[in-house]
Amino acid sequence: MTTATRFTGYAGTLALTALTPIVWGSTYAVTTEFLPPDRPLFTALMRALPAGVLLLALTRVLPHGKWLGRAAVLGVLNIGAFFPLLFLAAYRLPGGVAGVLGAVAPMFALGFAAVLLAEAPTRRKVIAGVVGVLGVSLVVLRGTVELDLLGVIAGLAGAASMGAGTVLTKKWGRPDGVGPLAMTGWQLTAGGLFIVPLALLIEGTPPALDGQAVGGYLYLGIIGTALAYWLWVRGISRVSATSVSFLGLLSPVSAAVIGWIALGQALTALQIVGLGIALAATVFGQIPSKPVEAERVSPAVPVGDAEGDAKPVVPELVSVARS
């Protein structure tokens, strides 16, 4: 197989995975235009649990053995803790500060990958992470802001949770015969179940829903969560976890563009510069430190652990259509 073919497969996987944060960027517009106000935990629950149950019904594969615990951990990190922390930061912090804190996730991923995957952070990726935060700051920050300590902690904790979940998803791989769709269902269900008591305790009974709200939740659940997280989990299994984490910078970029096109929110010259910087950082974070063929792992080296959860990397990296 030629280097060009391998690079095409690598680039194609990244392009498909990038659809996830682009879709996530639509969450703000959908939430503000279609969903009940002031119900962040209920919205998080409606995004996760129905989508997870749907995927479980479609795949008919349940975790067992050590994967019961692993699915629970990944579900809490990627969904159950991340969603509430994200919304808490958004409610307690002004403007786009929460978005800036979320943009720190690639830096957390670099740290976790160094510890859990023995992937030393390269100078290129550290620079890309710093530049990405700068670009997102230019896009989302407005004027003078006052920081709330709890909001800042929640924003950073959410970014750390997502970074850790991304790296652990890569480290553990998935069991033999289990595809990314089933793995996504496990995580969404576990994360949704974690949110249930929080939503009931903090927000009480669910609100009445009209047709507009139902449509919004269907979009967030099916497109913004089930499909988006499937592409995310699939991408993590095929390329570097740190490379995938940098794609998250596309989410605030997407939100700004959608707000401009769909909601008539004008973009200033400084925001446009920030969009360009964030996009450049995203691309810069994808450039491998070695030639593409050198980053491929031999079929004998698994993405899982040494206990039989191995899943060959090369066939999946170069076969984008396989799932």
Side-chain angles (χ1 to χ4, degrees):
M1 184 171 294
T2 66
T3 299
T5 302
R6 289 178 175 177
F7 179 78
T8 300
Y10 181 84
T13 298
L14 285 175
L16 277 178
T17 309
L19 293 176
T20 292
I22 291 173
V23 170
W24 284 343
S26 67
T27 300
Y28 173 77
V30 172
T31 300
T32 57
E33 297 298 312
F34 298 103
L35 303 184
D38 303 323
R39 302 304 292 262
L41 290 175
F42 178 73
T43 296
L45 175 62
M46 292 298 290
R47 283 190 66 182
L49 191 56
V53 172
L54 174 63
L55 294 184
L56 288 183
L58 290 175
T59 59
R60 300 183 181 181
V61 178
L62 296 176
H64 61 276
K66 64 186 175 185
W67 275 98
L68 284 169
R70 289 182 175 183
V73 170
L74 293 177
V76 170
L77 289 174
N78 289 325
I79 308 294
F82 173 65
F83 280 2
L85 288 169
L86 176 70
F87 282 119
L88 178 61
Y91 270 77
R92 296 188 68 94
L93 294 173
V97 176
V100 174
L101 294 175
V104 181
M107 302 299 288
F108 280 113
L110 288 174
F112 287 123
V115 175
L116 299 175
L117 302 177
E119 291 183 6
T122 64
R123 181 184 301 176
R124 178 185 291 115
K125 290 198 173 183
V126 172
I127 293 174
V130 173
V131 172
V133 173
L134 171 63
V136 171
S137 300
L138 294 177
V139 173
V140 300
L141 289 183
R142 302 285 188 278
T144 303
V145 296
E146 296 181 3
L147 300 182
D148 174 84
L149 179 60
L150 180 58
V152 170
I153 293 173
L156 291 174
S161 180
M162 189 65 172
T166 298
V167 172
L168 278 178
T169 300
K170 180 69 174 183
K171 177 179 175 62
W172 287 338
R174 57 182 189 263
D176 290 332
V178 175
L181 200 64
M183 280 286 294
T184 304
W186 296 356
Q187 294 186 41
L188 290 174
T189 303
L193 291 175
F194 180 83
I195 296 172
V196 168
L198 295 177
L200 291 176
L201 180 64
I202 297 174
E203 296 182 352
T205 57
L209 303 179
D210 57 18
Q212 185 171 266
V214 170
Y217 283 126
L218 285 174
Y219 169 80
L220 287 182
I222 296 174
I223 304 299
T225 303
L227 178 60
Y229 270 94
W230 167 65
L231 289 173
W232 193 252
V233 171
R234 177 182 178 276
I236 293 171
S237 71
R238 302 183 181 201
V239 299
S240 163
T242 54
S243 292
V244 171
S245 71
F246 274 95
L247 296 176
L249 295 173
L250 295 175
S251 183
V253 171
S254 171
V257 172
I258 290 172
W260 170 52
I261 295 175
L263 304 180
Q265 299 172 348
L267 293 176
T268 66
L270 195 59
Q271 284 179 293
I272 295 173
V273 171
L275 290 175
I277 292 175
L279 288 172
T282 302
V283 174
F284 197 51
Q286 308 309 316
I287 299 174
S289 56
K290 303 175 183 178
V292 171
E293 70 270 20
E295 288 204 340
R296 296 300 177 267
V297 182
S298 162
V301 180
V303 174
D305 53 24
E307 301 175 21
D309 293 332
K311 201 159 183 68
V313 177
V314 173
E316 294 198 355
L317 280 169
V318 298
S319 177
V320 177
R322 179 182 171 190
S323 63

